[in-house]
Amino acid sequence: MAGSNQTPTPYYTPTSKPSPPNYPFSSWKKLNLYYSLAAITFLCCACYYAGQLQHTTTNVGLHLSNTASTCFSSQNTTSPVSSSSPVSSSSQLDFTTHHSAGDGAGGAVVPDDTVKIYPPCDVKYSEYTPCEDPTRSLKYNRDRLIYRERHCPEKSEFLKCRIPAPYGYKNPFKWPMSRDLAWYANVPHKELTVEKAVQNWIRFEGDRFRFPGGGTMFPNGADAYIDDIGKLINLKDGSIRTAIDTGCGVASWGAYLLSRNILAISFAPRDTHEAQVQFALERGVPALIGVIASKRLPYPSRAFDMAHCSRCLIPWGEYDGTYLIEVDRVLRPGGYWILSGPPIHWRKYWKGWERTKQDLNAEQTKIEKVARSLCWKKFVEKDDIAIWQKPYNHLQCKELRKASKNPPMCPAQDPDKAWYTDIETCLTSLPEVSSEEKVAGGQLEKWPKRLHAIPPRISRGTVNGVTSDTFNEDSQLWKRRVSYYKTVNNQLGQPGRYRNLLDMNAYLGGFAANLVDDPVWVMNIVPPEAKVNTLGIIYERGLIGTYQSWCEAMSTYPRTYDLIHADSVFTLYKDRCEMEDILLEMDRILRPEGSVIIRDDVDTLIKVKRITDGLNWDSQIVDHEDGPLEREKLLFAVKSYWTAPSIQES
């Protein structure tokens, strides 16, 4: 942490075995025998060491500490050194931050014949988001906003360079101050300060932006707006934990929910409202670039307790209610959908919205009709806010739908499959129940008990190979692992050093669960290539995440995350895509002086380290938390601070 006066925890602690005591020999024969044994021992050690060198001929020499031989002293690290000079490194990784707005552009790398150097990209790529590139999007259909969906570059178009931070970039403000402030140099866009000036979204003040918490439909601020919602539904008893905000703006709704222990994913497309999602992330609020168009949202079914749209301009009643049908898929049984703004309460506001009464009435009529077809109940409508509730099960719904079959019930399918999966204009069936009082899919505990309770998807046996015992063992495993991480990187336990975290292969969310008491949030990724789709379990624990294939870029801006955790990611993607492309994507989305923790087989990590050296990361391979005899090792790294040059320098 910048300015910390605490002594960093040593990166490793060398240990050595005591020398055996010297005993005098009474005869030349005994001495000769001793020399013979010593010679044999020396030859054994030499043969072993030669074998070790042969094992790592394609890599930078590595002093492995997982040998059973007594020839080598045990160490707590596996240190990359010159193959001709194996030594015990005593260096420490520095996880603290140092840079300020006045630091130089730096980042030069001394060439090394054994390491491929990745040069800086041109400054025009400082906000490059490969799969949401505005130029590429123009090639696609504008109907239903398909052109704003993910459209990734071909492999031949992949950049093999490091994305630069803007000149003058410095650490974001620490949470909770970051909720209200961001450095102008980090997101140099003033468009929203002009376009949304009267709506109090964002203000420009000298070298920084201020977020007053305003919004189009909450002129008194997001906090007061959420209080109004809290008068209509209970936001305090822990029954609502996960939420989704469609068309989020700068994510003030999600930002102010955090103080109520409600974790929201906010999303919006990369559009004419320049950098709105980038502002959200700079504020330390969970957000992704995304849009409801022709593909399912990248979340499992029954994920969110609450969904929200505040004048998000989504045509909910059009296209046979397709977009509302998708909200129904990701909404938990008994969950709420909140709509504020046009056409709600149109009789009072229609003049200010510059639309006719007939137009607004027709829009609300369509929305009401779609909601009824989904068996939603109109819970309440008061002032600017309308709230619908999804049924707890489909027993009555199936009876009602015998007369009306629009939309039809979906055929047998996987409702959790949501990576490049087309939206279907059919109602996603809820799991069967035995009575009307039962909650389809199982009743969830209230937060915070929800975090450690056995998730219903596990207790009901609907996730192949994952049992209650598996869950409990995984929970204990990650409690031990995260504790070990904090001994190696003492900054991980320092409030304020990290805010936005990413777990690239989250499985059951154990990494995030053991950081829940810290002032951080974790985006849990379940790759579509994983053997088991566990993202639904993660949501049932009250955590958030998304699907993401690491053969492609993530739907986020550069410099999104303060810390990235990658468990067995490179083993998972072996022979699927290039290791350097995954690491270049990690470098793109990692902040300057951000940290990385990678777990994998030692041979894989040696290859990873060669690439991270070429990315100019400061990295070191460390033993497994269970000791040096484990083949799995850990790589801890810190991305260097460097920026694009100033205009004068360029």
Side-chain angles (χ1 to χ4, degrees):
M1 182 165 58
S4 173
N5 57 8
Q6 296 186 19
T7 303
T9 300
Y11 190 67
Y12 72 98
T13 305
T15 59
S16 60
K17 296 185 178 180
S19 301
N22 292 321
Y23 293 101
F25 289 95
S26 60
S27 69
W28 179 86
K29 289 183 179 180
K30 288 184 178 180
L31 185 62
N32 188 42
L33 178 61
Y34 178 83
Y35 287 151
S36 298
L37 289 172
I40 292 170
T41 302
F42 173 79
L43 289 173
C44 289
C45 291
C47 292
Y48 177 85
Y49 185 63
Q52 286 294 93
L53 287 178
Q54 184 178 8
H55 182 63
T56 57
T57 52
T58 60
N59 308 297
V60 179
L62 193 68
H63 186 187
L64 290 175
S65 59
N66 61 345
T67 171
S69 171
T70 60
C71 301
F72 303 101
S73 61
S74 174
Q75 293 189 36
N76 197 30
T77 62
T78 304
S79 304
V81 295
S82 168
S83 59
S84 61
S85 179
V87 297
S88 297
S89 171
S90 60
S91 63
Q92 298 175 1
L93 277 183
D94 184 3
F95 295 100
T96 58
T97 57
H98 307 280
H99 64 267
S100 65
D103 286 343
V109 182
V110 177
D112 186 326
D113 291 339
T114 64
V115 174
K116 177 181 176 181
I117 305 301
Y118 296 89
C121 301
D122 189 278
V123 66
K124 68 181 180 181
Y125 291 107
S126 67
E127 294 181 358
Y128 184 52
T129 53
C131 297
E132 281 81 17
D133 181 58
T135 303
R136 182 178 297 106
S137 70
L138 296 177
K139 302 176 184 177
Y140 294 89
N141 193 339
R142 300 182 73 86
D143 183 47
R144 287 180 53 177
L145 296 181
I146 289 173
Y147 76 110
R148 294 202 190 280
E149 291 183 317
R150 286 175 58 88
H151 301 292
C152 297
E154 297 293 330
K155 187 174 181 179
S156 60
E157 302 175 83
F158 287 4
L159 296 181
K160 303 292 184 178
C161 53
R162 296 176 292 140
I163 302 297
Y167 178 74
Y169 179 94
K170 56 182 175 178
N171 289 329
F173 291 93
K174 294 180 180 178
W175 183 265
M177 190 181 296
S178 66
R179 187 191 68 180
D180 304 324
L181 296 170
W183 296 112
Y184 169 74
N186 292 11
V187 192
H189 295 283
K190 297 181 183 178
E191 295 87 344
L192 282 176
T193 66
V194 177
E195 186 175 346
K196 299 294 182 180
V198 298
Q199 297 171 13
N200 221 19
W201 278 26
I202 181 173
R203 293 200 299 260
F204 177 64
E205 299 177 352
D207 61 350
R208 64 196 65 184
F209 293 107
R210 182 175 295 277
F211 303 91
T216 310
M217 294 310 302
F218 29 96
N220 297 322
D223 222 18
Y225 173 76
I226 293 170
D227 283 342
D228 289 339
I229 294 173
K231 295 171 184 175
L232 305 175
I233 58 177
N234 196 332
L235 300 178
K236 296 180 179 179
D237 68 348
S239 59
I240 295 177
R241 166 61 180 175
T242 55
I244 186 169
D245 190 12
T246 55
C248 65
V250 295
S252 288
W253 188 72
Y256 282 85
L257 279 173
L258 289 167
S259 63
R260 295 162 170 83
N261 274 328
I262 296 174
L263 196 54
I265 282 188
S266 301
F267 75 90
R270 182 170 184 169
D271 60 10
T272 54
H273 293 170
E274 189 68 45
Q276 55 186 339
V277 168
Q278 191 175 15
F279 277 123
L281 292 161
E282 197 69 15
R283 299 175 71 184
V285 179
L288 288 166
I289 301 172
V291 64
I292 301 184
S294 67
K295 305 295 181 185
R296 283 181 173 178
L297 295 172
Y299 314 111
S301 64
R302 313 192 315 275
F304 299 100
D305 301 308
M306 179 169 60
H308 176 255
C309 164
S310 174
R311 201 167 188 174
C312 60
L313 305 180
I314 296 173
W316 296 111
E318 303 300 322
Y319 309 108
D320 297 321
T322 297
Y323 304 138
L324 216 49
I325 288 171
E326 177 60 3
V327 170
D328 177 82
R329 183 185 69 85
V330 300
L331 198 60
R332 187 158 291 139
Y336 299 99
W337 182 59
I338 302 170
L339 177 64
S340 66
I344 302 304
H345 211 36
W346 58 266
R347 289 177 176 84
K348 179 178 179 181
Y349 297 109
W350 68 277
K351 289 183 179 179
W353 290 335
E354 299 180 352
R355 293 172 60 183
T356 66
K357 292 181 180 180
Q358 293 77 11
D359 180 32
L360 290 163
N361 182 47
E363 182 181 354
Q364 181 154 356
T365 300
K366 284 183 179 180
I367 291 172
E368 301 276 9
K369 182 179 179 181
V370 174
R372 285 194 300 272
S373 73
L374 299 174
C375 300
W376 291 5
K377 179 179 69 175
K378 185 72 169 291
F379 192 78
V380 66
E381 181 174 334
K382 184 177 181 182
D383 298 329
D384 302 334
I385 300 171
I387 303 177
W388 285 262
Q389 186 176 26
K390 179 176 177 176
Y392 286 99
N393 57 65
H394 275 167
L395 280 183
Q396 285 191 359
C397 184
K398 289 181 178 178
E399 290 297 318
L400 292 172
R401 293 176 60 78
K402 289 180 179 179
S404 174
K405 297 183 179 180
N406 187 29
M409 300 296 290
C410 292
Q413 53 156 296
D414 181 359
D416 290 350
K417 185 179 179 181
W419 184 247
Y420 291 116
T421 305
D422 291 339
I423 292 179
E424 296 182 84
T425 52
C426 57
L427 179 58
T428 301
S429 297
L430 289 174
E432 295 291 338
V433 294
S434 57
S435 66
E436 293 182 4
E437 294 77 27
K438 298 288 186 180
V439 177
Q443 178 71 52
L444 289 177
E445 293 281 359
K446 294 181 178 179
W447 182 263
K449 289 184 178 180
R450 187 181 297 189
L451 181 66
H452 299 296
I454 303 296
R457 277 176 165 88
I458 294 178
S459 60
R460 293 167 60 88
T462 58
V463 180
N464 187 35
V466 182
T467 65
S468 297
D469 288 342
T470 305
F471 178 81
N472 290 327
E473 290 168 5
D474 188 77
S475 296
Q476 292 302 311
L477 174 68
W478 281 103
K479 182 178 180 180
R480 187 171 75 253
R481 286 181 171 180
V482 171
S483 177
Y484 179 66
Y485 290 169
K486 290 182 176 181
T487 65
V488 179
N489 177 358
N490 70 330
Q491 297 295 302
L492 188 55
Q494 294 286 341
R497 172 62 181 92
Y498 304 112
R499 173 62 185 172
N500 302 358
L501 275 61
L502 174 70
D503 192 354
M504 296 176 67
N505 189 18
Y507 188 43
L508 302 180
F511 174 73
N514 282 279
L515 293 170
V516 75
D517 293 327
D518 297 341
V520 303
W521 61 269
V522 181
M523 184 66 76
N524 294 281
I525 302 297
V526 173
E529 296 89 352
K531 290 182 179 179
V532 184
N533 182 354
T534 53
L535 192 55
I537 292 173
I538 288 170
Y539 273 95
E540 288 182 342
R541 300 189 70 179
L543 305 171
I544 58 172
T546 186
Y547 297 110
Q548 171 65 44
S549 170
W550 294 112
C551 290
E552 297 182 0
M554 192 176 180
S555 293
T556 194
Y557 283 89
R559 303 171 297 282
T560 290
Y561 292 100
D562 306 306
L563 185 145
I564 298 176
H565 179 255
D567 179 14
S568 306
V569 167
F570 296 98
T571 292
L572 177 64
Y573 283 95
K574 184 181 180 181
D575 302 325
R576 283 190 167 106
C577 45
E578 297 298 326
M579 182 182 288
E580 71 170 1
D581 292 328
I582 298 175
L583 285 161
L584 281 164
E585 174 62 4
M586 292 171 68
D587 185 80
R588 184 185 74 87
I589 63 179
L590 186 65
R591 293 191 189 278
E593 294 191 335
S595 298
V596 175
I597 305 172
I598 302 175
R599 307 181 67 94
D600 225 309
D601 183 83
V602 62
D603 289 343
T604 299
L605 286 189
I606 296 169
K607 297 174 184 177
V608 167
K609 192 183 187 310
R610 286 169 58 86
I611 298 174
T612 62
D613 288 346
L615 294 171
N616 200 26
W617 294 3
D618 184 12
S619 64
Q620 202 165 45
I621 298 175
V622 181
D623 278 333
H624 191 276
E625 61 271 4
D626 290 338
L629 299 183
E630 299 289 336
R631 278 196 60 83
E632 184 177 75
K633 305 291 180 185
L634 294 90
L635 184 143
F636 282 78
V638 178
K639 178 180 174 179
S640 61
Y641 171 74
W642 64 282
T643 73
S646 66
I647 297 175
Q648 292 80 6
E649 292 175 354
S650 59

